[in-house]
Amino acid sequence: MTLFRGTFLDTPDGDAPGSIRLRADTDAGLLVTDGTIVERGRFVDVAARHPEEDVVDLSAGLVLPGLIDTHVHYPQVRSIGALGMPLLDWLEKSALPEEARLEDPGYANGAATDFVRGLVSAGTTTALVFGAHFAPAVENLFDEAERVGLRVTAGLVVSDRALPEPLLTTAERAYEESLTLAKRWHDRGRLRYAVTPRFSLSASAAVLDACAAVLTEVPGAWFTTHANENTAEVAQVARLFPEARDYIDTYDRHGLLGPQSVIAHNVHATDPELSMLSDRGASVAHCPTSNCALGSGLFDLRRHVDHGVRVALGSDVGAGTGFGLFKEGLQAYFVQQLHGDRGLPLSAPDLLHLATRAGALALGQSEVVGDLSVGKAFDAVWVRPRAGDPLDVGLRHAASAEDALAKIFAMACGSDVVGVWVGGDRLESA
Ligand code: GUN
Ligand code: ZN
């Protein structure tokens, strides 16, 4: 058993941003056995009950639940930062040529290492990852996530039109390769499989049917894709699926939406689409730096919450500008500030919720991760800025725990993350 000592901040209750309460325990003790928190209280009390246990002292700085990224692209780790283009141009000129490079096994192997290191060094402990179009490259991702010890849900990205030829597959091959990967990796340790058509712009009805077949064959598999990100994309999807009521319906009519679905972006959703997502219990990954970098639009968080659609955060690397979920939280806050009457003002606890527990809810993992309550896994991030840095100064002068948390979202970056744990194990590359 290990006794972790520190100031722990988390958001164990509440399901939607807008009124999230912060739990802040100063000089607390969390007793961890086999990766699970079994006791929590004042450090002096827990230590008195367990005087023989090893103490890991995290008192300098603050400890948060491990961050949860619900939308991030593994094959784009090396192309982050291509600015100045809207979605379809950016895909053509930056993202897709880079993704084609993962056909080379050596390149994919290196990208998998870079990618997993990027997640860990940002304090991300759980992620729903958009994989690659090549099955061996997806193997590289699972191998590396398993070696490092991250919680990753991912899958083969499938498409049969509108992309460069090397990225295309057929419905039959998509089914076979996805199933083979899922059989090997789904529910193996901290890994799970996600059925992943890129978007209905690049996936015919036959490929979407193949995706539905894999979901049926693999109980507990997740489903993820993109929708309603950019107006030109939405118009093209409407032309490709004249029979569908709207973009969300292109997935629903193939039986792909349910509580295990996470739809990325959804910036231009109509009310019927939000109602459908809510009815199905599907979640939305909000990707604020990506939406701003590609000029996709201002996310209607309030409308999602009002419709009862679950929303969590995604970095959307590489359209998003990095792995940091503090930065995504801050950008989410900025967007709501700038969205006039349609904006939902966000507090620091709302941002922490979006970056942790909301992700756990969207990924169906809230029994295990998302907060630091007894019974949960010890997945944690230790934030400790260098002495004298503006964040360190801010934290030392913070008026309250909530104020300290706001300063973390405003200023923290990867170098402030000095320790990352998953299931009680400290990860190496943090
Ligand atoms: N839509 C289809 N593919 C992508 C992608 O790679 N990134 C983003 N942001 N949107 C997409
Ligand atoms: Zn994406």
Side-chain angles (χ1 to χ4, degrees):
M1 289 198 277
T2 306
L3 179 52
F4 291 92
R5 177 180 196 172
T7 295
F8 298 92
L9 307 185
D10 64 356
T11 53
D13 38 46
D15 286 351
S19 55
I20 295 294
R21 175 188 76 86
L22 181 66
R23 173 168 65 173
D25 284 338
T26 305
D27 202 15
L30 265 56
L31 188 67
V32 174
T33 307
D34 295 331
T36 301
I37 302 165
V38 293
E39 230 180 290
R40 178 181 169 125
R42 292 197 316 152
F43 174 75
V44 285
D45 297 338
V46 184
R49 283 194 293 275
H50 302 277
E52 71 287 3
E53 302 305 343
D54 290 340
V55 174
V56 175
D57 193 346
L58 311 177
S59 301
L62 296 166
V63 183
L64 310 177
L67 305 175
I68 300 181
D69 189 339
T70 62
H71 186 71
V72 55
H73 293 253
Y74 140 56
Q76 296 173 10
V77 57
R78 293 175 170 178
S79 59
I80 300 168
L83 301 177
M85 292 173 273
L87 173 67
L88 299 177
D89 290 352
W90 170 82
L91 282 170
E92 186 193 327
K93 298 199 171 74
S94 175
L96 299 177
E98 175 63 16
E99 296 211 15
R101 294 189 184 107
L102 275 83
E103 191 171 9
D104 172 349
Y107 193 89
N109 197 33
T113 308
D114 293 344
F115 175 77
V116 170
R117 184 179 296 128
L119 289 173
V120 175
S121 58
T124 295
T125 52
T126 298
L128 175 56
V129 177
F130 234 80
H133 286 269
F134 308 101
V138 178
E139 296 272 356
N140 289 136
L141 169 67
F142 279 126
D143 272 334
E144 183 63 4
E146 183 172 67
R147 189 188 70 76
V148 170
L150 272 188
R151 298 185 199 276
V152 162
T153 304
L156 180 71
V157 181
V158 296
S159 289
D160 64 346
R161 64 181 176 199
L163 303 184
E165 212 281 325
L167 300 180
L168 298 180
T169 186
T170 61
E172 296 72 28
R173 215 178 101 208
Y175 174 79
E176 296 295 337
E177 291 183 349
S178 302
L179 208 54
T180 303
L181 281 165
K183 284 192 175 140
R184 186 160 149 79
W185 294 105
H186 183 60
D187 263 344
R188 169 163 154 172
R190 296 169 180 165
L191 308 175
R192 302 185 308 175
Y193 196 77
V195 174
T196 314
R198 188 167 198 117
F199 55 166
S200 48
L201 192 153
S202 68
S204 69
V207 160
L208 296 177
D209 282 338
C211 288
V214 179
L215 277 177
T216 308
E217 294 269 330
V218 187
W222 231 250
F223 173 77
T224 192
T225 190
H226 298 93
N228 287 321
E229 179 174 0
N230 164 289
T231 51
E233 170 215 16
V234 174
Q236 202 163 323
V237 166
R239 283 193 292 276
L240 287 165
F241 287 88
E243 69 286 5
R245 189 180 65 179
D246 47 45
Y247 202 145
I248 293 299
D249 188 44
T250 63
Y251 301 120
D252 192 62
R253 60 197 299 115
H254 292 278
L256 294 168
L257 297 185
Q260 297 178 187
S261 311
V262 177
I263 308 298
H265 300 286
N266 212 36
V267 175
H268 302 285
T270 61
D271 283 337
E273 289 179 297
L274 291 173
S275 299
M276 183 174 279
L277 289 170
S278 175
D279 288 350
R280 300 290 183 253
S283 299
V284 165
H286 172 33
C287 306
T289 71
S290 167
N291 292 344
C292 292
L294 298 179
S296 300
L298 300 178
F299 183 68
D300 277 328
L301 179 57
R302 185 191 291 282
R303 281 176 63 235
H304 281 72
V305 171
D306 288 350
H307 279 84
V309 179
R310 262 199 305 263
V311 176
L313 277 185
S315 67
D316 199 26
V317 154
T321 60
F323 287 93
L325 287 186
F326 298 130
K327 179 161 78 169
E328 293 303 328
L330 183 66
Q331 193 71 25
Y333 166 85
F334 288 155
V335 166
Q336 297 309 310
Q337 288 290 103
L338 292 170
H339 207 9
D341 290 346
R342 294 164 71 172
L344 179 64
L346 293 170
S347 66
D350 290 330
L351 301 184
L352 183 61
H353 165 85
L354 283 169
T356 56
R357 184 170 148 77
L361 290 166
L363 300 185
Q365 294 175 302
S366 63
E367 296 296 311
V368 183
V369 296
D371 66 82
L372 296 168
S373 298
V374 170
K376 301 284 163 74
F378 186 74
D379 282 25
V381 182
W382 184 20
V383 178
R384 190 191 59 190
R386 238 180 28 187
D389 278 1
L391 179 56
D392 174 59
V393 172
L395 293 181
R396 280 191 285 108
H397 292 87
S400 63
E402 199 165 319
D403 188 30
L405 184 62
K407 291 176 190 318
I408 286 177
F409 275 97
M411 287 185 269
C413 58
S415 60
D416 301 310
V417 171
V418 295
V420 178
W421 288 261
V422 175
D425 303 326
R426 188 165 187 167
L427 302 195
E428 264 171 29
S429 55

